Amino acid sequence: MEYLGAGDAGQMAPASAGKNKILCCECGVPIEPNPSNMCVACLRTHVDITANIPKQAIVFFCRNCERYLNPPSEWVQCSLESKELLSVCLKRLKGLKEVKLVDAGFVWTEPHSKRIKVKLTVHGEVMDGVVLQQVFVVEFTVNNQMCDDCHRTEAKDFWRCLVQVRQKSINKKTLFYLEQMILKHKAHENTLGIKPSPSGGLDFYYATDAHARKMVDFLQAVLPVKVTNSKKLISHDIHSNSYNYKYSYAVDVVPISKGSLVCLNKKLQQPLGHISPICLVTKVANAIHLMDPRTAQLAEVQNLAFWKSPFEAICNPKHMIEFIVMDVEIVRDHEKKNFPGQGPVSFRHILADVWVVKASELGINENTIHTRSHLGHLLKPGDSVLGYDLQDANINNAEFEKLKQESVPDLLLIKKSYDKTSRKQTRNWKLKHLTEDVALDTDIENDYNEFLEDLEEDPELRQNVNIFKDTSKSIPVDTNDMEDPSVPRITLEEMLDDLVLDDVEMAEA
C-alpha cells in the first residue's frame, strides 16, 4: 500500500523543508503533513480500501463449446489471458465500483489447474481526501457448467429451425454441386447438425431463426429453388405472453441436372430467342443454362421464370446410349440456320454433321444414323459418344406430345465417352463432404461418378468447388505416364493440399 499525496509531495524537498515535517500520531515517525496525520504503515492498519472486494470468486465454463458465462446469461468464447476473459472476471467482482481501478492483469497459473489469478491495482480515498493505492490478487475458480445450447443438444431438443433441402428428380448431380458450393463458401458454419435424408437430400439444424434464414438466402443465391416455411408451437407462457416455436424451411431444388434433356413450352421459347423446344441443360447455377444441340444456341432460364412455367426432364443421363462415330463433317457458316430475333450462339462449340452407329449393333446391323451435333470440336471417327435416341425412347410429357413429328430429331449427341474404369482408377483428386453418413447405393454412386466426370470436363463448373489432392494415388508428371492423354483431367495447379494432423511421437535424443 502506498500513500499518494497532492502537489509536490512525492518530490525531493530542500534542506529547509525538513522543519515542516510532523510526527505520526501512532508511531512518531517524521512524515510529511497529511489530513490523517499518520504514516502509510499505520494508515494500512486502520483502513483497507479492498475490504469490500472479494479475494476469491467463481467463473463458469462450458466444456462442450468451451465458452465462459458472461453475466447475466451470455456465453462468450474466450482464450486464456485474453481481454475478453479479463472482462468476464472483473464483472464477477462486486466491490470494484467503490474504488478506482488503475490496472489489471493475469498472474500465470497452470492451464489445467482450474484457477485464474488476476492482479489488480486500485485507488481509494479515505480520511478527508487521502488517496491510497493498493495492489492485491484475486483468485478465480473455474467451475464447469453446461450452457443452454449444449443442454438442449444433450436433451435431443437442440434445434429451433430446420432447413430441408430436397430435389425431386432421378439424377442427383445438382445436389452434389450444391454440397460443394456450401463447403466452398462455408455456409454451414452455424449449423448444429447435418443429417442426410433417406429420400435424397440434406437436413440442416439451427439454434436460431436468423442462422436458418441466412442459409436459405444462400441457397436462393446459388440455385433456382422454391422455399416454403412453416412453424409449430412448442410451448406458450400465458403470464409473460411468450411463445416458443420451431421453424421449418422446405427448399425444393429444380428437378433437373446437367446433361438432362428438357422440352419447353411456347411461352418460354419466345423470350428465350425462339430457341428450339428440345434443349440440353449445360449448367444449373443461379440460373438454368440451356443449349440447342443442333444449332448451339444458348439461353438462360431464371429462378422466377422457371417456377412460373416449370418444366421437367424428358430424358436423364441414365437414359443415354453409346454410339460409335463413323464420320464427322464440320458445318460451314453459310450452312447454319439464322433467323431474326435469334438468341446468342456458343463459340465454344463447333457444329458438325455426324454419322454414328449404335455400339450394341456394331458388326451386326450397322444402321448409320445422321445427326447434327455441337461436339464437332471433340469428335473424330472411331470415338465413342453418348446420346439420346428419341426415336425409340418412351417419353411421357405433355409438351413433348404437342410437337410435330418432323420437328423432333431422331438422335441428339450429348457428350464424348471415355473409359469409366480407367478414369476412376487414375483420378488423383478427391472432394470433401458435409457428412459421411450417406449410404451410397448403386444409383447414387453412379450419379456421383458422373458429377466427378463433369468436373473434369468443365473448367467453369469446378471454379466453385474445392478440389483436394489424393495422396493415396500417384500424380503423373509426364503425359507419357498417362494411359490416354486426351482424357479430360484436372491439373495439379487446381488442386489444394488437404490438411492432415497426425500425432507423431518424437524420438528420444
Side-chain angles (χ1 to χ4, degrees):
M1 181 184 297
E2 300 178 5
Y3 161 69
L4 301 179
D8 299 332
Q11 299 179 356
M12 185 67 71
S16 60
K19 299 178 182 180
N20 297 329
K21 291 187 176 183
I22 63 174
L23 299 180
C24 175
C25 64
E26 292 287 335
C27 61
V29 176
I31 59 173
E32 296 291 339
N34 62 73
S36 64
N37 293 329
M38 286 190 295
C39 63
V40 175
C42 297
L43 194 60
R44 184 186 296 114
T45 59
H46 287 77
V47 180
D48 184 10
I49 61 176
T50 65
N52 295 329
I53 302 176
K55 304 305 184 293
Q56 291 182 345
I58 298 175
V59 293
F60 296 99
F61 175 72
C62 179
R63 291 184 295 179
N64 293 343
C65 60
E66 297 183 353
R67 294 187 298 176
Y68 290 87
L69 176 62
N70 188 17
S73 60
E74 182 184 7
W75 291 84
V76 294
Q77 194 83 24
C78 304
S79 58
L80 292 177
E81 299 189 4
S82 63
K83 294 181 180 180
E84 293 79 8
L85 182 57
L86 183 61
S87 175
V88 171
C89 294
L90 294 180
K91 287 183 180 180
R92 306 295 297 180
L93 302 179
K94 298 180 179 180
L96 280 181
K97 295 182 180 180
E98 301 176 3
V99 295
K100 180 181 179 181
L101 180 63
V102 178
D103 188 22
F106 289 99
V107 179
W108 187 87
T109 56
E110 178 65 32
H112 302 288
S113 63
K114 296 294 183 180
R115 296 292 186 273
I116 299 175
K117 293 185 178 180
V118 180
K119 184 179 180 181
L120 304 176
T121 302
V122 296
H123 286 177
E125 185 176 336
V126 295
M127 293 186 182
D128 301 328
V130 177
V131 180
L132 292 180
Q133 174 178 303
Q134 190 168 347
V135 181
F136 63 102
V137 177
V138 179
E139 181 178 323
F140 294 88
T141 303
V142 181
N143 287 356
N144 295 325
Q145 178 178 329
M146 187 176 293
C147 64
D148 296 336
D149 295 337
C150 296
H151 185 73
R152 286 196 299 268
T153 303
E154 293 296 327
K156 305 301 180 183
D157 188 27
F158 56 93
W159 62 274
R160 294 286 179 86
C161 299
L162 171 64
V163 178
Q164 297 177 315
V165 182
R166 299 290 186 271
Q167 185 185 23
K168 300 175 182 179
S169 66
I170 300 176
N171 194 286
K172 303 296 182 182
K173 290 196 294 184
T174 305
L175 285 181
F176 292 130
Y177 175 71
L178 176 61
E179 179 188 27
Q180 298 304 318
M181 288 282 289
I182 295 174
L183 289 171
K184 175 79 172 183
H185 296 87
K186 298 180 180 179
H188 63 295
E189 286 186 336
N190 297 321
T191 56
L192 299 177
I194 303 174
K195 293 183 179 179
S197 173
S199 60
L202 293 171
D203 294 338
F204 299 88
Y205 297 91
Y206 294 91
T208 61
D209 187 34
H211 292 160
R213 288 181 178 272
K214 186 177 180 181
M215 183 64 175
V216 172
D217 293 341
F218 173 79
L219 297 177
Q220 290 177 327
V222 298
L223 281 181
V225 297
K226 182 175 63 175
V227 181
T228 55
N229 59 342
S230 62
K231 60 182 180 180
K232 178 182 179 182
L233 180 63
I234 303 301
S235 60
H236 174 213
D237 188 356
I238 59 175
H239 301 287
S240 61
N241 198 24
S242 60
Y243 298 84
N244 182 18
Y245 287 101
K246 277 191 174 182
Y247 299 89
S248 297
Y249 296 88
V251 181
D252 291 331
V253 184
V254 288
I256 54 179
S257 59
K258 178 181 171 65
S260 299
L261 207 63
V262 298
C263 185
L264 306 178
N265 54 29
K266 292 184 178 181
K267 292 183 180 180
L268 276 176
Q269 290 180 246
Q270 185 175 1
L272 296 179
H274 297 278
I275 195 172
S276 174
I278 300 179
C279 297
L280 172 67
V281 180
T282 59
K283 185 180 179 181
V284 180
N286 53 357
I288 303 173
H289 297 253
L290 304 176
M291 183 178 63
D292 183 4
R294 294 177 293 174
T295 61
Q297 182 179 345
L298 302 176
E300 291 185 8
V301 180
Q302 301 298 328
N303 188 9
L304 295 178
F306 174 82
W307 295 110
K308 187 177 180 180
S309 299
F311 50 86
E312 297 179 353
I314 59 175
C315 292
N316 286 291
K318 295 180 180 180
H319 304 146
M320 288 192 294
I321 302 174
E322 184 180 359
F323 295 87
I324 304 299
V325 179
M326 306 305 293
D327 192 11
V328 178
E329 183 178 341
I330 304 299
V331 177
R332 299 179 182 180
D333 293 339
H334 67 274
E335 297 177 354
K336 298 179 181 178
K337 294 182 180 180
N338 298 318
F339 54 88
Q342 186 180 17
V345 179
S346 174
F347 294 99
R348 295 176 49 193
H349 304 84
I350 299 177
L351 290 179
D353 289 324
V354 186
W355 288 264
V356 297
V357 176
K358 287 186 179 180
S360 59
E361 299 178 358
L362 187 63
I364 303 175
N365 185 13
E366 297 184 0
N367 293 327
T368 305
I369 305 174
H370 169 261
T371 184
R372 180 162 290 186
S373 175
H374 64 292
L375 302 177
H377 61 296
L378 294 177
L379 299 181
K380 61 181 183 298
D383 288 343
S384 296
V385 62
L386 298 176
Y388 295 115
D389 187 1
L390 300 182
Q391 188 176 8
D392 297 336
N394 184 12
I395 299 175
N396 185 13
N397 185 272
E399 297 297 333
F400 183 79
E401 294 176 356
K402 296 179 183 178
L403 300 178
K404 297 181 181 179
Q405 188 65 28
E406 57 271 12
S407 62
V408 178
D410 296 337
L411 172 64
L412 287 178
L413 301 180
I414 305 303
K415 59 185 291 188
K416 187 177 178 180
S417 177
Y418 303 93
D419 187 5
K420 293 182 178 293
T421 304
S422 62
R423 291 184 69 173
K424 188 175 181 180
Q425 292 176 353
T426 58
R427 186 171 291 134
N428 50 19
W429 54 274
K430 61 182 179 180
L431 301 177
K432 290 188 176 181
H433 301 282
L434 291 172
T435 176
E436 300 295 339
D437 299 334
V438 180
L440 291 178
D441 56 12
T442 304
D443 294 337
I444 297 180
E445 187 175 0
N446 292 335
D447 294 343
Y448 182 68
N449 289 330
E450 290 180 6
F451 172 68
L452 298 182
E453 293 175 359
D454 291 341
L455 290 178
E456 294 174 339
E457 298 170 3
D458 191 354
E460 293 183 0
L461 184 64
R462 57 178 181 260
Q463 288 181 356
N464 296 322
V465 177
N466 286 334
I467 298 173
F468 297 89
K469 299 177 185 176
D470 192 354
T471 56
S472 61
K473 295 183 180 179
S474 60
I475 300 177
V477 180
D478 191 4
T479 56
N480 296 328
D481 298 336
M482 303 179 184
E483 295 181 1
D484 187 2
S486 64
V487 177
R489 282 184 173 85
I490 298 178
T491 60
L492 188 61
E493 290 78 9
E494 299 178 84
M495 302 181 191
L496 301 175
D497 290 326
D498 192 9
L499 179 61
V500 180
L501 300 178
D502 294 331
D503 294 333
V504 181
E505 297 182 359
M506 298 180 61
E508 297 181 0

